């Protein structure tokens, strides 16, 4: 544990316990139905490998990439996995905060606040997210007995069964088609990282550079976390999130140096999310008969959110930016594939230098000109 003033700054175990306690209950299903859902999701995950690899052509024939596990989890399992990932990624940042504490009132206040309060606040945020995530490829996944991961702590695919069942019922779509559709999206992320060996290290390097440039004292960081938790608990009236309501939690703590890094990260995440959306819809017509209906209803659900409090939290946590990443990234991929074909698009995976910039995500023709005309000229 990282500690400040002798007290843990984040009580990770309490974060898990709090999130599990406050997460919304999942949909009502019988034990037999739950077993059928889990078995079907596992089958779809396996079938998606062949569909995604055939469509994307990212993995050469005869080449078998590093294997990473596929786990069908409940909301508590998702929470445990993500707390472990956060702990691994945030340790350097929390260490820097400890170094900056020094003496004086800030250190005294932090010692009083302690890791218990921070753990509760982090747990509240995770309880909000845990009922919304359908699936996730965990790029940075420390292995445990309960949650295995790929070699050297790299990668596992999570499918959150209760959330998938909840959404398929809410949208009133064919459950078998919807489950395969979700699996195609997440398998695309798995293929991205297992088929492009340098991508994980590159992304981790960018994230650690972002955290390494953080110029924020511990009290400011905790205040931002507390604002998000208070919004979740309804401590503020909906829509009244202060003068910074238009900015996300990430944006509120970034320095000028971080803006440049965040721009690169935004471009990469837009590419990855947009590519997954493009693939799931590209594969869909051949294997998911109701893909058009699913996509239309799912896009409507994404756009409307779930009320004013939900919208306020999405903005504070930066989830609105993630929705833009799906949209902008998918447009980029579609435009490039239309221009130079799938093999031409796959030059994006050559090296970090061939990844699109944030500006190129909005202007795909500029990426084509930079990467293709320079290479072919």
């Amino acid at each position: 544990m990282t500690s400040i003033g002798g007290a843990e700054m984040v009580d990770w175990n309490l974060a898990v316990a709090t999130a599990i306690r406050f997460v919304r209950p999942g949909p009502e299903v019988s034990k037999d139905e739950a077993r059928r859902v889990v078995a079907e999701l596992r089958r779809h995950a396996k079938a998606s490998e062949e569909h995604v690899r055939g469509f994307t052509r990212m993995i050469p024939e005869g080449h078998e990439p590093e294997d990473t596990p596929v786990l069908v989890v409940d909301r508590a399992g998702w929470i445990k996995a993500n707390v472990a990932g956060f702990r691994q990624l945030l340790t350097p940042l929390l260490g820097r905060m400890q170094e900056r504490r020094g003496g004086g009132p800030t250190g005294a206040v932090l010692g009083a606040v302690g890791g218990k309060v921070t753990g509760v606040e982090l747990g509240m945020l995770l309880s909000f997210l845990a009922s919304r995530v359908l699936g996730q490829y965990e790029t940075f996944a420390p292995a445990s007995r309960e949650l295995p991961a790929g070699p050297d702590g790299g990668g596992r695919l999570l499918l959150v069964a209760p959330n998938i069942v909840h959404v398929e019922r809410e949208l009133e779509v064919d459950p078998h088609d919807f489950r395969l559709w979700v699996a195609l999206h997440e398998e695309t992320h798995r293929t991205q990282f297992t088929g492009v060996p340098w991508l994980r290290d590159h992304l981790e390097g960018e994230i650690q550079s972002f955290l390494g440039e953080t110029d924020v004292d511990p009290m400011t960081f905790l205040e931002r976390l507390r604002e998000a938790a208070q919004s979740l608990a309804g401590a503020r009236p909906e829509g009244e999130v202060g003068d910074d309501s238009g900015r996300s939690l990430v944006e509120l703590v970034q320095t000028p140096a971080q803006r440049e890094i965040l721009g690169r990260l935004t471009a990469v995440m837009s590419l990855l999310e947009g590519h997954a959306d493009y693939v799931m819809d590209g594969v869909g017509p051949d294997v998911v008969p109701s893909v058009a209906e699913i996509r239309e209803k799912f896009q409507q659900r994404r756009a409307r959110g779930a009320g004013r409090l939900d919208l306020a939290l999405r903005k504070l946590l930066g989830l609105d930016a993630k929705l833009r990443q799906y949209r902008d990234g998918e447009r980029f991929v579609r435009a490039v594939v239309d221009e130079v074909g799938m093999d031409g698009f796959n030059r994006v995976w050559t090296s970090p230098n061939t990844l699109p910039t944030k500006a190129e995500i909005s202007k795909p023709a500029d990426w084509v000109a930079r990467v293709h005309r320079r290479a072919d000229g």
Side-chain angles (χ1 to χ4, degrees):
M1 293 290 184
T2 298
S3 62
I4 293 184
E8 296 171 355
M9 185 170 182
V10 179
D11 187 329
W12 300 104
N13 292 331
L14 184 58
V16 170
T18 301
I20 291 174
R21 178 182 177 186
F22 286 99
V23 70
R24 295 176 182 176
E28 292 187 8
V29 295
S30 67
K31 290 184 178 180
D32 286 342
E33 183 180 1
R35 282 194 289 266
R36 288 194 296 270
V37 170
V38 170
E40 183 174 18
L41 286 172
R42 286 175 176 158
R43 290 196 303 271
H44 285 332
K46 184 62 178 177
S48 294
E49 288 186 29
E50 182 178 351
H51 296 316
V52 170
R53 292 181 187 185
F55 184 82
T56 64
R57 301 200 290 273
M58 289 180 62
I59 298 176
E61 290 187 20
H63 175 72
E64 192 61 32
E66 177 182 278
D67 187 38
T68 54
V70 177
L71 308 178
V72 181
V73 298
D74 57 11
R75 291 171 178 175
W78 181 88
I79 288 167
K80 293 174 183 176
N82 277 267
V83 167
F86 287 154
R87 182 177 183 179
Q88 179 169 296
L89 279 177
L90 290 178
T91 292
L93 173 62
L94 299 181
R96 284 168 55 86
M97 288 184 176
Q98 180 181 8
E99 293 174 1
R100 291 193 53 180
R101 176 187 64 84
T106 298
V109 172
L110 277 173
V113 171
K116 299 295 184 184
V117 173
T118 310
V120 169
E121 291 166 347
L122 178 58
M124 292 295 290
L125 293 177
L126 289 170
S127 73
F128 168 79
L129 295 172
S131 63
R132 286 157 173 79
V133 176
L134 302 181
Q136 173 185 1
Y137 185 76
E138 269 201 296
T139 313
F140 314 107
S144 67
R145 183 184 309 172
E146 186 178 0
L147 295 164
D152 300 320
R156 59 184 165 223
L157 191 153
L158 305 178
L159 295 172
V160 190
N163 296 351
I164 293 172
V165 172
H166 171 79
V167 174
E168 69 192 25
R169 290 179 178 178
E170 177 187 335
L171 299 182
E172 298 181 333
V173 294
D174 182 280
H176 309 293
D177 284 2
F178 184 74
R179 293 166 194 173
L180 177 55
W181 190 70
V182 171
L184 288 169
H185 182 101
E186 302 309 329
E187 176 58 34
T188 302
H189 286 317
R190 186 167 177 249
T191 299
Q192 289 164 349
F193 283 96
T194 58
V196 183
W198 54 264
L199 184 58
R200 179 182 182 274
D201 288 343
H202 172 72
L203 190 60
E204 183 176 19
E206 291 282 62
I207 292 172
Q208 292 302 335
S209 294
F210 181 88
L211 295 177
E213 289 290 337
T214 295
D215 184 21
V216 60
D217 64 79
M219 277 305 299
T220 301
F221 184 81
L222 295 180
E223 286 168 4
R224 297 309 186 190
L225 189 61
R226 189 167 298 110
E227 286 176 9
Q230 288 173 344
S231 295
L232 177 59
R236 285 181 172 176
E238 294 179 11
E240 296 182 14
V241 291
D243 295 337
D244 291 319
S245 60
R247 304 172 68 194
S248 74
L249 186 64
V250 170
E251 291 171 323
L252 287 169
V253 300
Q254 68 170 299
T255 65
Q258 286 176 302
R259 293 190 184 100
E260 182 177 349
I261 302 171
L262 189 60
R264 296 196 299 269
L265 280 170
T266 298
V268 174
M269 297 311 298
S270 296
L271 170 69
L272 299 179
E273 296 294 356
H275 183 238
D277 264 14
Y278 178 81
V279 171
M280 72 196 296
D281 288 344
V283 174
D286 292 330
V287 298
V288 183
S290 59
V291 64
E293 177 191 3
I294 291 173
R295 165 56 72 190
E296 181 180 1
K297 290 183 175 180
F298 195 75
Q299 290 285 57
Q300 292 172 355
R301 182 181 186 273
R302 272 182 181 171
R304 68 175 179 262
R308 294 176 64 194
L309 177 59
D310 184 76
L311 291 173
L313 270 170
R314 285 192 346 195
K315 185 180 294 293
L316 185 59
L317 297 175
L319 300 183
D320 280 350
K322 186 174 179 65
L323 297 182
R324 289 194 298 272
Q325 289 169 5
Y326 285 113
R327 182 186 65 242
D328 297 344
E330 195 274 341
R331 289 175 180 169
F332 171 84
V333 176
R334 186 173 301 280
V336 172
V337 173
D338 287 347
E339 178 71 19
V340 297
M342 184 63 74
D343 291 332
F345 166 78
N346 281 339
R347 288 192 185 181
V348 78
W349 312 116
T350 304
S351 75
N353 293 329
T354 56
L355 291 171
T357 64
K358 188 177 180 181
E360 288 170 342
I361 288 288
S362 301
K363 297 181 178 180
D366 290 353
W367 180 86
V368 172
R370 176 172 67 88
V371 173
H372 280 265
R373 293 175 190 172
R374 179 182 299 173
D376 300 337

